[in-house]
Amino acid sequence: NNTTTKAAETAKKAGTTRNTGVRTMVQIAMLAAVATVLMLWEVPMPFIAPSFYKMDLSEVPIMIGAFAMGPLAAAVIELIKILLNFVLNGTTTAGVGELGNFIMGCALVMPAGFIYKQAKTKKHAIIGMATGIVCMAVASALVNGLLLLPAYGKAFGMPVDTFGAAIIPAIHSLTTFCLFSVAPFNIIKGIVVSLITLVLYKHISRLLKGSQA
């Protein structure tokens, strides 16, 4: 009976779609939890940025999520990570640091995920991550210079024009701070995250695909 067969096929497709949606939500939750934990371990880079700029590896599971599920899923993981960290640890930057972390994280992982989605090869993964690093560096300089650092300075009554001058003598304004400190900091972070992701992704992706069974 054709009607019965079509109904069975429709029900099967609906069940598969539901299973896929649940699986995706579980994977997003798992990767966000790992990212939140990794965000707790921060390493300062005093050779290039002030002490309140600290590098963490929380973008690694988010980059893996971008490759496995696409750029929008990566943005959701990034948002959940920021919200969880905010709830668990509060903020020491009046929310400015958290906003910056979200924007820079998305600037790194979303272009990478979009490019990799076009052709899931190692070459596209590398091109995607390199593009993400450039996007994050540009976004960090612009967003910090125009929005985040002025807001940070206003919130805490601190002058921001000489941030980093003691570290890099060439810094004498907010613009030079963003160019010589903020952007390089994010480039280094992006390279470290990308290298670790490149090593781990194939192993982690097997586990993610295994959960589809």
Side-chain angles (χ1 to χ4, degrees):
N1 189 305
N2 288 337
T3 303
T4 304
T5 303
K6 287 181 180 179
E9 289 178 352
T10 301
K12 185 177 179 181
K13 287 179 181 178
T16 301
T17 301
R18 282 196 298 271
N19 290 338
T20 300
V22 171
R23 184 176 63 246
T24 299
M25 286 190 290
V26 170
Q27 291 176 354
I28 286 174
M30 288 191 305
L31 291 171
V34 174
T36 303
V37 172
L38 289 175
M39 198 176 180
L40 299 175
W41 282 279
E42 298 176 316
V43 179
M45 291 200 290
F47 58 92
I48 198 167
S51 59
F52 57 84
Y53 277 91
K54 295 178 182 178
M55 187 178 79
D56 62 69
L57 299 177
S58 63
E59 308 305 336
V60 171
I62 301 174
M63 183 75 82
I64 290 171
F67 287 162
M69 293 175 281
L72 293 181
V76 173
I77 298 170
E78 188 77 50
L79 179 60
I80 294 173
K81 176 198 77 172
I82 296 297
L83 293 176
L84 283 175
N85 183 71
F86 190 85
V87 170
L88 293 173
N89 301 306
T91 178
T92 57
T93 61
V96 174
E98 287 73 22
L99 177 60
N101 194 297
F102 176 73
I103 294 172
M104 303 325 150
C106 287
L108 173 65
V109 300
M110 292 188 73
F114 178 78
I115 291 173
Y116 183 73
K117 192 176 181 180
Q118 308 309 306
K120 296 185 177 182
T121 64
K122 187 175 182 180
K123 177 182 177 181
H124 277 75
I126 293 172
I127 292 172
M129 289 187 291
T131 303
I133 292 169
V134 172
C135 289
M136 183 168 70
V138 173
S140 69
L142 291 175
V143 175
N144 273 277
L146 297 175
L147 176 63
L148 299 181
L149 287 173
Y152 183 85
K154 188 174 182 179
F156 293 95
M158 297 172 62
V160 296
D161 290 345
T162 56
F163 274 171
I167 302 170
I168 302 174
I171 294 175
H172 54 78
S173 65
L174 187 55
T175 300
T176 52
F177 174 64
C178 291
L179 289 176
F180 298 140
S181 183
V182 175
F185 171 89
N186 282 279
I187 289 171
I188 293 171
K189 179 179 178 178
I191 291 172
V192 172
V193 167
S194 296
L195 289 175
I196 295 174
T197 302
L198 206 57
V199 172
L200 293 180
Y201 175 66
K202 284 301 178 184
H203 304 288
I204 301 296
S205 67
R206 290 192 192 107
L207 295 176
L208 294 174
K209 289 173 184 175
S211 68
Q212 296 176 14

